[in-house]
Amino acid sequence: MITLPDPSEASIILQYYLDNRDHLAQWEPKRDSHYHTFQAWQSRLRLYLADYSSGRGVYWSVFDGERKRILAVCNYSNIIRGAFHACHLGYSVDYRYQGQGLMFKVLSKTIEYMFKEHKLHRIMANYIPENKRSGRLLQRLGFEKEGYAKKYLNINGQWQDHILTARVNEQWNI
């Protein structure tokens, strides 16, 4: 079940990030102790809904069939209109579900949604060169390499190079 997160479900998404803290640390910014609190996640989820309402971002949670556990998350942030009509894609999957095709299914559906419903022309996704799994996933999804950015983002306390990719909506029509 792919759905927008609800602030009332902050404890479920908090559990996802606690369960995956070590797994995600190598791919994410360093998190302070407040990041992994119920209050922080309630506030963050309210901001995500405000971003959705204003057209600035779409944040998805992927639940199990009983809506008791989050299996993955993906977000389309920094939505820009005007001459650009683009956004950035971020995603993660619970370490227990890696390699099962879940993220490919989720991103296939949500990318199609973003192109059709949000009328985006370009979705950009960047990954650390050592994250071969992400590189293969993006390639399978039709993302093309567009560049290499040295010391692009501060990940896990260090400036990391990133491979820049994008997928263009060839049927774009406003």
Side-chain angles (χ1 to χ4, degrees):
M1 177 189 306
I2 305 169
T3 184
L4 297 173
D6 187 285
S8 69
E9 297 169 324
S11 61
I12 300 172
I13 197 160
L14 170 59
Q15 192 61 52
Y16 170 83
Y17 282 98
L18 288 172
D19 290 348
N20 289 281
R21 183 186 293 195
D22 293 338
H23 164 64
L24 297 176
Q26 62 190 322
W27 315 118
E28 293 188 341
K30 254 195 198 303
R31 307 294 189 190
D32 64 20
S33 59
H34 182 68
Y35 184 85
H36 294 293
T37 65
F38 177 78
Q39 294 77 15
W41 272 104
Q42 259 192 331
S43 295
R44 203 170 289 121
L45 294 173
R46 281 193 285 274
L47 289 173
Y48 291 169
L49 290 176
D51 281 352
Y52 178 76
S53 295
S54 68
R56 291 186 311 251
V58 182
Y59 301 83
W60 301 100
S61 294
V62 182
F63 284 88
D64 64 2
E66 298 174 15
R67 204 172 174 122
K68 291 185 178 180
R69 175 191 277 184
I70 292 180
L71 310 178
V73 296
C74 66
N75 60 76
Y76 296 84
S77 60
N78 305 319
I79 295 175
I80 299 172
R81 300 295 176 183
F84 202 33
H85 286 273
C87 72
H88 286 96
L89 165 63
Y91 53 87
S92 67
V93 63
D94 186 300
Y95 72 93
R96 294 167 281 208
Y97 295 92
Q98 280 190 306
Q100 299 178 24
L102 175 65
M103 191 51 69
F104 180 80
K105 290 177 192 172
V106 168
L107 293 180
S108 294
K109 289 179 183 182
T110 58
I111 288 167
E112 190 66 26
Y113 171 84
M114 295 305 292
F115 281 161
K116 284 185 178 179
E117 300 301 321
H118 288 265
K119 308 275 192 253
L120 292 178
H121 178 254
R122 167 184 291 269
I123 298 173
M124 299 169 290
N126 310 314
Y127 65 95
I128 296 171
E130 292 78 23
N131 192 345
K132 305 287 187 206
R133 182 170 267 166
S134 245
R136 286 190 305 270
L137 172 63
L138 292 169
Q139 186 176 22
R140 270 184 73 202
L141 289 163
F143 284 75
E144 295 181 27
K145 290 181 184 177
E146 294 191 324
Y148 190 91
K150 298 207 49 84
K151 299 182 182 195
Y152 185 65
L153 292 174
N154 193 309
I155 302 296
N156 199 20
Q158 295 183 350
W159 289 102
Q160 298 282 338
D161 297 351
H162 278 69
I163 295 173
L164 311 177
T165 72
R167 179 168 161 185
V168 173
N169 180 1
E170 299 297 341
Q171 272 71 58
W172 190 80
N173 187 345
I174 199 152

